[in-house]
Amino acid sequence: MIVELSIVVPTFNERLNLPTLIERTGAALDGVAWELIIVDDDSPDGTASLGKEIASRDPRIRCIRRVNRRGLAGACIEGMLSSSAPFVAVMDADLQHDETILPRMLARMRSGEVDLVVGSRYVPGGSADGGFSSLRAWISRWGTVVAKRALNVELNDLMSGFFMVRRELVEFIAPQLVDSGFKILVDIIASAEQPLRIEEIGFRFRERTSGESKLDARVGLDFVGLVLNKATHGVLPLRFIFFTLVGVSGVLIHFAVLRFSMALFEVTFTTAQTLATIAAMTTNFLINNAVTYRDARLRGVIAITRGLLLFYLVCAVGAVANVSVASWIYDNYELWFLAAMTGIAMGSVWNFALSSFFVWRKT
Ligand code: GDD
Ligand code: MN
């Protein structure tokens, strides 16, 4: 059998959904030479072993078990790269995506008129009311608006996880794709050298019946980072973007602590400013440790204390760098805004470089 369409299905704890998924996919694609590639991140519920058991009886099913790795985007990339079919699709395992539009997606791909077909909730024939909490719907809608602007693409459902694409295109851009996070579709579009010919086909986003969603706040943050990274054409490394976003949160904390300690405890400004600085550095350290450097995360009281002290030290040096550059510019050009901004930029790059090197030992 020469496969025409590979359907990549990333899974994490989807054992209960596999049998129905395979049955429905088969029914929808009657007469098509398809295969379904399960890419499982070693789910504790044994999704991979069930996948392999099914695969041992059904040649249309394959199962890749990845160990010591987590990540939806990475799993999708790996599945797509394992295909040798002309067309590849990505579809969720939890039955939220409507497999009955697969034949229409395939027909559009076969026509050669499009590079990418997206299953869309926000075009006629599509809806998202079934599978979404209102908060999720809101985040999804605004995420789409922001990303459309930043990346300059006309696509109504940029956040979709359901699409079909020419495999050659994926092969070509694979080295540029970011394998953390959820947003593989945005990434493919942003990484393509030429504007892609994209079409959307509406579908009703169904409710999840078994298992639970893995999308959380960290995923949202990953998305913001990805958009900034792509919008600046990769000039800003993802890690630096996170580091800076965390820095911005530190500024908010700084002001909050400053205001409160002055109002509540009637301390002097200098004391309040010192408290605020320590508080902001500490939260910055903790958030960076959990998010920005999660792959090099410091664990245990001793490692964390040591890391925190080093981080204070790095920030102190960064502050000196910041103030000296800013003063130099101010003294020479008297442009206070430019001086302050340059100082801040200087301090952030410095803090980032040094803490990557000394605190988390990453480059
Ligand atoms: N291999 C692997 N590794 N698979 C994963 C991982 C992971 O770390 N995390 C999630 N998955 C699988 C799930 O098992 C499921 O098949 C699919 O990826 C989607 O995960 P869900 O947890 O069900 O995501 P969701 O329903 O909240 O989000 C879906 O809808 C969003 C709409 O805004 C996804 O399709 C998103 O891509 C989409 O943006
Ligand atoms: Mn889902």
Short mmCIF file of all heavy atoms in Angstrom, two decimals, residues 108-141:
data_model
loop_
_atom_site.label_atom_id
_atom_site.label_comp_id
_atom_site.label_asym_id
_atom_site.label_seq_id
_atom_site.Cartn_x
_atom_site.Cartn_y
_atom_site.Cartn_z
N ARG A 108 -8.72 19.34 -1.48
CA ARG A 108 -8.10 20.64 -1.74
C ARG A 108 -6.60 20.49 -1.93
O ARG A 108 -6.00 21.13 -2.80
CB ARG A 108 -8.39 21.64 -0.60
CG ARG A 108 -9.83 22.06 -0.47
CD ARG A 108 -10.40 22.56 -1.79
NE ARG A 108 -9.76 23.81 -2.23
CZ ARG A 108 -9.45 24.09 -3.51
NH1 ARG A 108 -9.73 23.23 -4.46
NH2 ARG A 108 -8.87 25.22 -3.82
N MET A 109 -5.97 19.64 -1.13
CA MET A 109 -4.53 19.43 -1.26
C MET A 109 -4.21 18.79 -2.61
O MET A 109 -3.27 19.17 -3.29
CB MET A 109 -3.99 18.54 -0.14
CG MET A 109 -4.06 19.12 1.26
SD MET A 109 -3.26 20.74 1.44
CE MET A 109 -1.61 20.39 0.88
N ARG A 110 -5.02 17.81 -3.00
CA ARG A 110 -4.78 17.11 -4.27
C ARG A 110 -4.87 18.06 -5.45
O ARG A 110 -4.19 17.87 -6.45
CB ARG A 110 -5.83 16.02 -4.47
CG ARG A 110 -5.55 14.75 -3.71
CD ARG A 110 -6.73 13.82 -3.94
NE ARG A 110 -6.57 12.54 -3.28
CZ ARG A 110 -7.59 11.70 -3.05
NH1 ARG A 110 -8.81 12.03 -3.43
NH2 ARG A 110 -7.37 10.55 -2.46
N SER A 111 -5.73 19.06 -5.34
CA SER A 111 -5.92 19.99 -6.46
C SER A 111 -4.63 20.74 -6.78
O SER A 111 -4.47 21.30 -7.85
CB SER A 111 -7.01 21.00 -6.13
OG SER A 111 -6.48 21.99 -5.24
N GLY A 112 -3.71 20.78 -5.82
CA GLY A 112 -2.46 21.50 -6.04
C GLY A 112 -2.61 23.01 -5.93
O GLY A 112 -1.66 23.75 -6.12
N GLU A 113 -3.81 23.46 -5.59
CA GLU A 113 -4.04 24.91 -5.53
C GLU A 113 -3.69 25.51 -4.18
O GLU A 113 -3.64 26.73 -4.03
CB GLU A 113 -5.52 25.21 -5.85
CG GLU A 113 -5.87 24.96 -7.31
CD GLU A 113 -7.37 24.82 -7.52
OE1 GLU A 113 -8.15 25.10 -6.58
OE2 GLU A 113 -7.76 24.41 -8.63
N VAL A 114 -3.50 24.66 -3.18
CA VAL A 114 -3.19 25.19 -1.85
C VAL A 114 -2.01 24.43 -1.23
O VAL A 114 -1.73 23.30 -1.59
CB VAL A 114 -4.40 25.08 -0.89
CG1 VAL A 114 -5.53 25.97 -1.31
CG2 VAL A 114 -4.88 23.65 -0.78
N ASP A 115 -1.33 25.11 -0.28
CA ASP A 115 -0.22 24.47 0.42
C ASP A 115 -0.65 23.94 1.78
O ASP A 115 -0.02 23.06 2.35
CB ASP A 115 0.90 25.49 0.68
CG ASP A 115 1.38 26.15 -0.60
OD1 ASP A 115 1.81 25.42 -1.50
OD2 ASP A 115 1.29 27.39 -0.68
N LEU A 116 -1.72 24.54 2.31
CA LEU A 116 -2.11 24.24 3.68
C LEU A 116 -3.62 24.41 3.80
O LEU A 116 -4.17 25.42 3.37
CB LEU A 116 -1.39 25.25 4.60
CG LEU A 116 -1.75 25.33 6.07
CD1 LEU A 116 -1.34 24.06 6.80
CD2 LEU A 116 -1.04 26.52 6.72
N VAL A 117 -4.28 23.42 4.38
CA VAL A 117 -5.71 23.55 4.65
C VAL A 117 -5.91 23.46 6.15
O VAL A 117 -5.40 22.55 6.80
CB VAL A 117 -6.54 22.41 4.00
CG1 VAL A 117 -8.03 22.66 4.21
CG2 VAL A 117 -6.25 22.31 2.53
N VAL A 118 -6.64 24.43 6.70
CA VAL A 118 -6.81 24.48 8.14
C VAL A 118 -8.27 24.17 8.51
O VAL A 118 -9.19 24.74 7.93
CB VAL A 118 -6.44 25.89 8.66
CG1 VAL A 118 -6.68 26.00 10.16
CG2 VAL A 118 -4.99 26.20 8.33
N GLY A 119 -8.47 23.29 9.45
CA GLY A 119 -9.79 23.05 10.02
C GLY A 119 -10.09 24.22 10.94
O GLY A 119 -9.36 24.47 11.88
N SER A 120 -11.15 24.96 10.63
CA SER A 120 -11.35 26.25 11.30
C SER A 120 -12.66 26.32 12.04
O SER A 120 -13.70 25.89 11.55
CB SER A 120 -11.29 27.35 10.23
OG SER A 120 -11.66 28.58 10.79
N ARG A 121 -12.60 26.92 13.22
CA ARG A 121 -13.82 27.12 14.01
C ARG A 121 -14.48 28.44 13.69
O ARG A 121 -15.60 28.67 14.05
CB ARG A 121 -13.48 27.07 15.50
CG ARG A 121 -13.01 25.71 15.95
CD ARG A 121 -12.22 25.79 17.23
NE ARG A 121 -10.97 26.51 17.01
CZ ARG A 121 -10.08 26.77 17.96
NH1 ARG A 121 -10.32 26.38 19.19
NH2 ARG A 121 -8.98 27.41 17.68
N TYR A 122 -13.73 29.33 13.03
CA TYR A 122 -14.22 30.70 12.85
C TYR A 122 -14.53 31.06 11.41
O TYR A 122 -14.34 32.20 11.00
CB TYR A 122 -13.23 31.69 13.47
CG TYR A 122 -12.85 31.34 14.89
CD1 TYR A 122 -11.52 31.24 15.28
CD2 TYR A 122 -13.84 31.08 15.84
CE1 TYR A 122 -11.18 30.91 16.58
CE2 TYR A 122 -13.51 30.74 17.14
CZ TYR A 122 -12.18 30.66 17.51
OH TYR A 122 -11.85 30.32 18.78
N VAL A 123 -14.96 30.11 10.61
CA VAL A 123 -15.47 30.42 9.27
C VAL A 123 -16.84 29.75 9.18
O VAL A 123 -17.16 28.91 10.02
CB VAL A 123 -14.54 29.90 8.14
CG1 VAL A 123 -13.19 30.59 8.19
CG2 VAL A 123 -14.39 28.39 8.20
N PRO A 124 -17.64 30.12 8.17
CA PRO A 124 -18.96 29.49 8.07
C PRO A 124 -18.85 27.97 8.11
O PRO A 124 -17.95 27.39 7.49
CB PRO A 124 -19.46 29.98 6.71
CG PRO A 124 -18.77 31.28 6.49
CD PRO A 124 -17.43 31.14 7.14
N GLY A 125 -19.72 27.35 8.86
CA GLY A 125 -19.66 25.90 9.01
C GLY A 125 -18.85 25.49 10.23
O GLY A 125 -18.84 24.33 10.63
N GLY A 126 -18.16 26.45 10.83
CA GLY A 126 -17.35 26.14 12.00
C GLY A 126 -17.97 26.72 13.26
O GLY A 126 -18.71 27.68 13.21
N SER A 127 -17.63 26.13 14.42
CA SER A 127 -18.05 26.72 15.69
C SER A 127 -17.19 26.17 16.81
O SER A 127 -16.54 25.13 16.67
CB SER A 127 -19.52 26.41 15.98
OG SER A 127 -19.66 25.03 16.23
N ALA A 128 -17.18 26.90 17.91
CA ALA A 128 -16.33 26.49 19.02
C ALA A 128 -17.12 26.39 20.31
O ALA A 128 -16.55 26.16 21.37
CB ALA A 128 -15.20 27.49 19.20
N ASP A 129 -18.43 26.57 20.24
CA ASP A 129 -19.21 26.64 21.48
C ASP A 129 -19.17 25.34 22.26
O ASP A 129 -19.15 25.34 23.48
CB ASP A 129 -20.65 27.03 21.17
CG ASP A 129 -21.13 26.45 19.86
OD1 ASP A 129 -20.87 27.10 18.83
OD2 ASP A 129 -21.68 25.34 19.86
N GLY A 130 -19.10 24.20 21.55
CA GLY A 130 -19.12 22.92 22.24
C GLY A 130 -17.93 22.71 23.16
O GLY A 130 -18.08 22.40 24.33
N GLY A 131 -16.71 22.93 22.64
CA GLY A 131 -15.54 22.46 23.35
C GLY A 131 -14.80 23.47 24.20
O GLY A 131 -13.69 23.24 24.62
N PHE A 132 -15.41 24.62 24.48
CA PHE A 132 -14.63 25.69 25.07
C PHE A 132 -15.25 26.30 26.30
O PHE A 132 -16.43 26.62 26.32
CB PHE A 132 -14.53 26.81 24.05
CG PHE A 132 -13.20 26.88 23.40
CD1 PHE A 132 -13.04 27.64 22.26
CD2 PHE A 132 -12.11 26.23 23.92
CE1 PHE A 132 -11.81 27.73 21.64
CE2 PHE A 132 -10.88 26.32 23.33
CZ PHE A 132 -10.74 27.06 22.18
N SER A 133 -14.45 26.57 27.31
CA SER A 133 -14.92 27.42 28.39
C SER A 133 -14.88 28.84 27.85
O SER A 133 -14.18 29.12 26.88
CB SER A 133 -13.98 27.29 29.60
OG SER A 133 -12.74 27.84 29.27
N SER A 134 -15.61 29.79 28.48
CA SER A 134 -15.64 31.12 27.91
C SER A 134 -14.27 31.79 28.02
O SER A 134 -13.88 32.57 27.16
CB SER A 134 -16.73 31.96 28.56
OG SER A 134 -16.51 31.99 29.94
N LEU A 135 -13.52 31.46 29.08
CA LEU A 135 -12.19 32.04 29.22
C LEU A 135 -11.28 31.58 28.08
O LEU A 135 -10.59 32.36 27.44
CB LEU A 135 -11.57 31.66 30.57
CG LEU A 135 -10.14 32.18 30.77
CD1 LEU A 135 -10.13 33.70 30.87
CD2 LEU A 135 -9.48 31.57 32.00
N ARG A 136 -11.33 30.27 27.81
CA ARG A 136 -10.52 29.73 26.73
C ARG A 136 -10.91 30.35 25.39
O ARG A 136 -10.06 30.66 24.56
CB ARG A 136 -10.70 28.21 26.64
CG ARG A 136 -9.96 27.42 27.70
CD ARG A 136 -8.50 27.28 27.33
NE ARG A 136 -8.34 26.81 25.97
CZ ARG A 136 -8.35 25.55 25.60
NH1 ARG A 136 -8.50 24.61 26.50
NH2 ARG A 136 -8.21 25.21 24.33
N ALA A 137 -12.20 30.54 25.20
CA ALA A 137 -12.66 31.11 23.93
C ALA A 137 -12.12 32.52 23.79
O ALA A 137 -11.67 32.94 22.72
CB ALA A 137 -14.19 31.12 23.88
N TRP A 138 -12.12 33.26 24.89
CA TRP A 138 -11.65 34.63 24.90
C TRP A 138 -10.16 34.68 24.57
O TRP A 138 -9.71 35.45 23.73
CB TRP A 138 -11.94 35.23 26.28
CG TRP A 138 -11.70 36.69 26.37
CD1 TRP A 138 -12.58 37.69 26.09
CD2 TRP A 138 -10.48 37.34 26.77
NE1 TRP A 138 -11.99 38.90 26.27
CE2 TRP A 138 -10.72 38.72 26.70
CE3 TRP A 138 -9.24 36.88 27.18
CZ2 TRP A 138 -9.74 39.65 27.03
CZ3 TRP A 138 -8.26 37.81 27.50
CH2 TRP A 138 -8.52 39.18 27.43
N ILE A 139 -9.39 33.82 25.25
CA ILE A 139 -7.94 33.79 25.02
C ILE A 139 -7.66 33.42 23.57
O ILE A 139 -6.83 34.04 22.89
CB ILE A 139 -7.25 32.76 25.95
CG1 ILE A 139 -7.38 33.22 27.40
CG2 ILE A 139 -5.79 32.57 25.58
CD1 ILE A 139 -6.89 32.21 28.41
N SER A 140 -8.39 32.44 23.07
CA SER A 140 -8.17 31.98 21.72
C SER A 140 -8.47 33.10 20.72
O SER A 140 -7.71 33.33 19.77
CB SER A 140 -9.06 30.77 21.46
OG SER A 140 -8.95 30.31 20.15
N ARG A 141 -9.57 33.83 20.97
CA ARG A 141 -9.95 34.89 20.03
C ARG A 141 -8.92 36.01 20.00
O ARG A 141 -8.46 36.44 18.97
CB ARG A 141 -11.33 35.43 20.40
CG ARG A 141 -11.94 36.26 19.31
CD ARG A 141 -13.46 36.37 19.42
NE ARG A 141 -13.92 36.71 20.74
CZ ARG A 141 -14.70 35.94 21.50
NH1 ARG A 141 -15.10 34.78 21.06
NH2 ARG A 141 -15.07 36.35 22.69
#
